[in-house]
Amino acid sequence: MYASQPSPSVVHRRDQVFPVLSGPQIDRLSRFGYARSYAAGEALFVAGQIGPGMVILRGGEAEIIQSNGLSRGDVIARQGPGQFIAEISQLAGRPALVDVRATIALDAVVIPAPGLRSLLVEEAELGERITRALILRRVALIESGTSGAVLVGAATSPTILRLQTFLRRNGHPYHHIDPAADAHPCPLIASFELGPQEALFVCADGSILRNPTEAEMARCLGLLDTQERTDLYDVAIIGAGPAGLATAVYAASEGLRVVVCDCRGPGGQAGASARIENYLGFPTGITGQALAGRAFVQAQKFGAEMLIPTEVTGLHYVCEDDRFVWHLALGDGRRVRSRTVVIATGARYRRLKVAGLADYEGRGIWYWASSLEARICQQQEVALVGGGNSAGQAAVYLAAHAQRVLMLVRGEGLAATMSRYLIDRIAATPNITLMPQREVTGLAGDAGSGLQAVTWTHRHDGSHEERGIRNLFLFAGAEPETACLAGSSIATDGGGFVLTGDAARPGGAGSPERDTLETSLPGAFAVGDVRSGSVKRVGGAIGEGAAVVAQIHRHLARQQTAVALH
């Protein structure tokens, strides 16, 4: 039963969003939790607070109430016998995004987060239905734009765009308020004097942060805890792009204890892809963010722990009790200990060597082409640098919003660097102009309004051209994300990419053999774009993430044998 206008996901898939379980099915699932009664009016969930887990209703009724940190009261839906209350947050034991209270006294089965994860694995058919419902409910909350966090600030504020990007990458719902466009401002918000570059962040529990960092937002939302982790993991994964998430899914599904760290959010560079159409099994294509979101849920389902966003600042090989383990130093001062480490930090787009570039990053210079950037490019002429698949996907996506997309490439064309289907699509898109043999050589603008003009140079004849471009997208080249390896002695090639296999053998042919994905130090592996010689494709990264798990098992077996013989 729906008490307010449902989101598009609910309208089209309501039976999947709110499935009804039979009595025998509830009996089967009750072994994963415990019986619980709620009196009429009693709260089951409070937004911003960690709830009990998934609640299955045997009898009675509960109402789900919208909450966004500034307002509560709109009833989203009512749930009755056979239905269950939970969404993705309950899978990892994170704070609720909505309020839920009993309207009629409830008899229920409560399944805490560990039991919910076990249920999804052990009960294949019911687990599939429940997983689908959890994902669709989160999508519905995101589509509604009324639950979760509240962002307050000008729509063009760089801080607002940064906060929105963080929330979208992490699949967290939010509501944006532009004070200049709000006819009925909240008195609390009106009491803050915000500059044009500033923003307020309001958590679901009502906490207010001014111009927060990503880590501050994550702690406010309950995405990050402050718990010390003293146990020894089997696998610590640095990076939550396709390669890292694939490693997490396969390792956790095979019973290994897994922790994943990433300083931003799931998806990595692939998360910027507006549509991946040549990935096996998705004939109509899938966005990079959707692919990452599904893998993120899948890894959690199998028990992988997520420390996101958490920066790994150092990697150390330490002897403990006659065996070596890996210590990961985290940006917040904590440490993670693991028998093995998988470096899946990926690569970032190369920053152009142009004066003033840093001054315009987030203010006209973009390394990401999502709906947020597309919104500020409406009916503008924009420029894009790059000739690979990600650049092609971004150009096609932006062309649906911008007046014209000027695609600048250093080479003669796209044939050597881009898939044929994208080349054909770009050629068929009338408002994309390919400009070969061009390099960006100048930027102009000011502190208040950001980027105002871009100059490029023809590589053959040396001619210059300046255009009034206010948004420049950079999708060129690849530089490895290896800052966390500084001082670790893990060998890299001339470009900074991590060496593996025979190329990583420290003593050449006379040294012990390395598995194909193992680095120069035992128990440390590299997968995906950060690895020297890897195929820079999403499918290749996922394949390496799956393949490395067998090599991890071999290393752990060798390590166990060595300890037993000692």
Side-chain angles (χ1 to χ4, degrees):
M1 179 179 179
Y2 310 95
S4 62
Q5 184 64 35
S7 75
S9 291
V10 172
V11 169
H12 299 300
R13 306 175 76 173
R14 59 182 61 196
D15 290 340
Q16 295 178 342
V17 178
F18 295 115
V20 179
L21 306 178
S22 67
Q25 288 173 331
I26 296 175
D27 291 339
R28 277 170 52 191
L29 300 183
S30 63
R31 65 188 174 92
F32 296 99
Y34 57 89
R36 171 78 154 84
S37 297
Y38 292 88
E42 187 176 356
L44 285 71
F45 293 87
V46 176
Q49 298 181 18
I50 296 175
M54 182 172 81
V55 180
I56 307 175
L57 309 187
R58 286 188 180 275
E61 184 185 77
E63 60 183 11
I64 303 170
I65 306 163
Q66 171 271 330
S67 174
N68 65 20
L70 289 179
S71 64
R72 289 176 167 84
D74 293 340
V75 176
I76 299 172
R78 292 186 175 88
Q79 301 283 271
Q83 296 182 298
F84 59 87
I85 300 170
E87 58 92 38
I88 289 299
S89 295
Q90 281 63 64
L91 192 58
R94 289 176 174 167
L97 298 175
V98 294
D99 292 335
V100 182
R101 66 171 175 243
T103 52
I104 300 174
L106 293 177
D107 288 323
V109 175
V110 176
I111 302 178
L116 177 55
R117 293 192 294 270
S118 296
L119 180 162
L120 298 183
V121 173
E122 296 178 29
E123 291 284 346
E125 183 179 350
L126 287 175
E128 180 183 349
R129 291 179 64 193
I130 292 170
T131 300
R132 184 180 293 110
L134 299 182
I135 293 172
L136 290 174
R137 290 175 184 188
R138 172 59 66 91
V139 170
L141 288 174
I142 292 172
E143 289 176 346
S144 73
T146 57
S147 295
V150 177
L151 303 181
V152 183
T156 56
S157 162
T159 305
I160 281 290
L161 292 173
R162 175 175 62 83
L163 302 186
Q164 288 177 318
T165 297
F166 171 82
L167 292 170
R168 289 204 174 204
R169 289 192 69 164
N170 285 277
H172 201 283
Y174 69 90
H175 174 55
H176 174 227
I177 298 174
D178 186 339
D182 190 5
H184 303 287
C186 167
L188 176 63
I189 295 302
S191 67
F192 287 86
E193 294 184 5
L194 290 178
Q197 310 297 318
E198 292 190 301
L200 293 180
F201 180 78
V202 187
C203 295
D205 65 359
S207 304
I208 299 178
L209 302 176
R210 192 181 191 118
N211 305 324
T213 65
E214 282 79 358
E216 289 170 339
M217 280 193 293
R219 289 196 177 87
C220 189
L221 295 171
L223 301 181
L224 266 184
D225 59 38
T226 56
Q227 174 186 345
E228 293 289 343
R229 283 166 170 76
T230 57
D231 292 346
L232 184 64
Y233 290 89
D234 296 314
V235 188
I237 302 167
I238 310 175
L245 290 173
T247 305
V249 168
Y250 284 96
S253 70
E254 293 183 15
L256 297 177
R257 189 170 182 198
V258 177
V259 62
V260 181
C261 301
D262 193 287
C263 63
R264 298 181 184 91
Q269 196 181 67
S273 296
R275 183 164 298 276
I276 303 169
E277 295 190 59
N278 59 350
Y279 184 63
L280 186 68
F282 292 91
T284 59
I286 184 170
T287 67
Q289 200 61 44
L291 184 65
R294 295 181 185 190
F296 185 73
V297 172
Q298 197 173 13
Q300 289 182 297
K301 162 184 158 180
F302 289 119
E305 294 183 41
M306 300 293 177
L307 295 181
I308 300 176
T310 297
E311 182 181 12
V312 176
T313 57
L315 193 56
H316 310 283
Y317 199 37
V318 179
C319 183
E320 289 185 1
D321 300 325
D322 297 324
R323 67 177 173 186
F324 283 92
V325 300
W326 287 95
H327 283 200
L328 282 65
L330 307 183
D332 58 11
R334 292 183 291 173
R335 281 185 177 264
V336 167
R337 300 162 57 246
S338 181
R339 294 182 175 89
T340 64
V341 62
V342 176
I343 303 159
T345 46
R348 62 182 177 273
Y349 295 114
R350 186 174 295 120
R351 301 177 79 227
L352 300 180
K353 292 183 172 65
V354 180
L357 179 75
D359 296 335
Y360 302 116
E361 288 179 327
R363 301 171 60 246
I365 298 291
W366 313 103
Y367 299 90
W368 186 277
S370 72
S371 58
L372 299 176
E373 290 79 20
R375 185 189 67 210
I376 63 175
C377 296
Q378 290 290 338
Q379 298 308 306
Q380 292 184 23
E381 184 176 70
V382 304
L384 182 149
V385 177
N389 277 9
S390 293
Q393 290 158 353
V396 171
Y397 177 72
L398 291 170
H401 304 273
Q403 182 185 61
R404 179 163 297 280
V405 178
L406 305 178
M407 196 168 184
L408 312 178
V409 296
R410 287 170 52 88
E412 296 286 353
L414 302 174
T417 57
M418 188 180 291
S419 295
R420 186 73 241 175
Y421 82 93
L422 275 171
I423 295 174
D424 294 341
R425 186 164 298 167
I426 288 169
T429 305
N431 62 333
I432 298 178
T433 301
L434 181 64
M435 305 185 72
Q437 298 292 329
R438 301 312 202 277
E439 286 184 311
V440 172
T441 53
L443 303 171
D446 56 63
S449 53
L451 184 67
Q452 295 293 306
V454 178
T455 300
W456 51 77
T457 301
H458 196 289
R459 298 182 67 213
H460 280 179
D461 62 26
S463 60
H464 304 283
E465 181 180 1
E466 183 181 78
R467 297 281 278 268
I469 300 291
R470 303 192 62 173
N471 291 284
L472 174 64
F473 294 83
L474 302 181
F475 289 85
E479 295 180 345
E481 292 273 17
T482 52
C484 65
L485 305 185
S488 68
S489 300
I490 290 176
T492 58
D493 65 14
F497 292 88
V498 179
L499 292 169
T500 58
D502 289 342
R505 293 167 72 175
S511 63
E513 290 188 5
R514 289 276 186 267
D515 272 322
T516 55
L517 300 172
E518 192 170 19
T519 71
S520 57
L521 291 180
F525 302 85
V527 295
D529 288 0
V530 75
R531 189 178 71 82
S532 178
S534 66
V535 178
K536 304 300 189 277
R537 289 285 189 269
V538 171
I542 292 173
E544 290 188 4
V548 75
V549 176
Q551 299 182 20
I552 290 170
H553 280 300
R554 283 198 293 272
H555 172 80
L556 293 176
R558 288 194 299 265
Q559 189 180 67
Q560 190 64 35
T561 299
V563 170
L565 293 175
H566 192 280

